[in-house]
Amino acid sequence: MEKVDLIIPVYKPDARFLDLIEKIGKQSVPVNKIIVMNTEQKYFDRMTYGTSFQKDHRDMIIRHLSKREFDHGRTRNHGVRYSDAAYFIMMTQDAVPADEFLVEELLGQLQKENVAVAYARQLAEEDSSEIEKYTRKFNYPEESVVKTQADLERLGLKTFFCSNVCAAYNRKIFDELGGFIKHTIFNEDMIYAAKAIEAGYGIAYTAEARVYHSHNYTNREQFHRNFDLGVSQAEHPEVFAAYPSESEGVRFVRKMIKHLTEVGLKRQIPHVIVQSGFKYLGYLSGKHYRSLPKKVVLKLSGSREYWG
């Protein structure tokens, strides 16, 4: 099988990053090279100080950059330049393989004709809230699928849904399409997926490739996150304008309320409604960020560095 490299953008790494590296080392299909794009060297040095990490991972490529230099698209593109493999996997530092078959399953999808990217199923941690567990099940179901242009009418924006929390890419196609957008606040993975779909390629959701990745965001964090999501959609109407995401949000809330009712957790429904309000207000504000004073934008965004 062709070589595959792993690229991980890192900021303030912790024990989950170490767990990720350990699990990657036990894969049924070995990773050729691990490339770490680390933001702010002091945090990485703090994590490894007094340990044998550097000695144990001498072949790991580690490149440091400042927080000001980081960009979701440009930094990942930079990481790809250190790879000469036919395939590469993008992961975030807080995604941990669920078993030893993650790499094997992702690469298996890339062997299919015209598949540009294969992304993994995200599982919630055991200590996650019921709301977070259902959110992962809603976005990452048990059935695999390859999405193409033929699905646009049926799936709309979901056709482009792709998460590089854990996703494998065909390098030849990646280079052909120009890689990730070089400057973006959010959604570099979906913007690339849209470009691939429009070029006639497929996006493979690979339910058999599984990682543990979940968050219990506060309402405030949800607002900031969805503000940035709204900004990214406003800045890329060529991808998002034709396929509004509001209806999908409403469908999710309805499904969540039904699920909580069925499992006897009706008392959590008010929290879902309030949290959904924070999400929507953040998203709506982000969609109309151009009409807001910059000082307000800086307060609402979760990515202050993006604004210079």
Side-chain angles (χ1 to χ4, degrees):
M1 184 175 285
E2 296 272 12
K3 290 191 301 184
V4 57
D5 289 338
L6 173 63
I7 301 164
I8 315 172
V10 170
Y11 178 57
K12 295 184 178 181
D14 57 16
R16 285 190 68 82
F17 172 72
L18 297 178
D19 196 14
L20 159 58
I21 297 300
E22 180 184 351
K23 294 291 199 313
I24 284 295
K26 298 177 179 178
Q27 292 294 299
S28 60
V29 173
V31 166
N32 174 60
K33 188 162 52 182
I34 298 176
I35 301 160
V36 173
M37 300 301 293
N38 176 68
T39 300
E40 299 296 348
Q41 183 173 352
K42 62 183 178 181
Y43 298 119
F44 198 89
D45 290 346
R46 186 179 300 168
M47 179 199 71
T48 59
Y49 180 76
T51 73
S52 60
F53 183 88
Q54 303 279 8
K55 180 181 176 181
D56 295 341
H57 300 285
R58 287 174 178 166
D59 295 335
M60 182 181 291
I61 296 175
I62 303 172
R63 293 294 178 265
H64 300 290
L65 59 150
S66 69
K67 199 171 183 183
R68 180 178 290 274
E69 291 174 304
F70 176 82
D71 182 88
H72 287 285
R74 184 173 58 245
T75 299
R76 285 175 168 83
N77 285 339
H78 192 187
V80 173
R81 295 192 198 114
Y82 293 106
S83 171
D84 60 359
Y87 307 104
F88 63 87
I89 297 173
M90 286 282 169
M91 291 184 72
T92 56
Q93 69 191 54
D94 57 350
V96 178
D99 56 39
E100 68 270 32
F101 303 111
L102 174 69
V103 175
E104 181 179 338
E105 294 290 354
L106 289 173
L107 291 188
Q109 290 293 327
L110 290 183
Q111 306 308 308
K112 295 180 179 179
E113 187 176 3
N114 285 337
V115 171
V117 53
Y119 67 101
R121 183 183 181 192
Q122 296 181 28
L123 306 173
E125 298 282 0
E126 284 188 17
D127 62 351
S128 297
S129 67
E130 186 64 28
I131 293 171
E132 178 65 8
K133 288 177 181 177
Y134 184 77
T135 299
R136 295 294 154 181
K137 290 179 181 178
F138 180 87
N139 289 323
Y140 302 93
E142 296 181 358
E143 302 81 23
S144 297
V145 64
V146 177
K147 299 175 289 186
T148 67
Q149 282 183 352
D151 296 302
L152 281 168
E153 185 174 347
R154 178 175 63 91
L155 295 177
L157 192 62
K158 276 282 191 179
T159 311
F160 305 142
F161 182 73
C162 177
S163 173
N164 59 21
V165 160
C166 183
Y169 294 79
N170 180 310
R171 176 64 183 274
K172 183 178 179 181
I173 297 174
F174 184 83
D175 289 344
E176 174 194 322
L177 297 177
F180 296 115
I181 187 167
K182 294 177 177 61
H183 185 54
T184 182
I185 193 170
F186 208 74
N187 273 335
E188 76 288 339
D189 40 15
M190 281 187 67
I191 294 168
Y192 175 83
K195 189 161 47 173
I197 290 286
E198 289 164 3
Y201 294 109
I203 306 300
Y205 167 59
T206 313
E208 297 78 14
R210 303 174 303 143
V211 294
Y212 285 105
H213 178 259
S214 55
H215 295 283
N216 291 316
Y217 289 123
T218 65
N219 289 337
R220 183 189 181 99
E221 290 169 333
Q222 291 284 14
F223 181 95
H224 290 313
R225 180 175 176 82
N226 281 272
F227 179 87
D228 291 348
L229 184 141
V231 169
S232 74
Q233 292 199 12
E235 292 188 337
H236 297 283
E238 76 281 2
V239 174
F240 300 103
Y243 306 101
S245 58
E246 287 86 346
S247 59
E248 184 68 11
V250 171
R251 187 171 80 90
F252 166 73
V253 173
R254 286 175 176 167
K255 289 268 192 178
M256 176 68 79
I257 291 174
K258 181 181 178 183
H259 170 74
L260 292 175
T261 300
E262 290 173 346
V263 298
L265 292 174
K266 282 185 176 182
R267 66 185 182 277
Q268 294 190 19
I269 291 175
H271 174 67
V272 170
I273 294 171
V274 171
Q275 186 181 76
S276 299
F278 274 89
K279 286 181 179 181
Y280 184 66
L281 284 173
Y283 169 76
L284 200 62
S285 300
K287 288 273 282 189
H288 296 91
Y289 81 94
R290 291 187 178 92
S291 64
L292 301 173
K294 185 170 182 180
K295 63 180 180 180
V296 173
V297 170
L298 289 172
K299 287 183 178 180
L300 300 184
S301 175
S303 307
R304 291 178 65 91
E305 290 77 17
Y306 176 77
W307 305 98

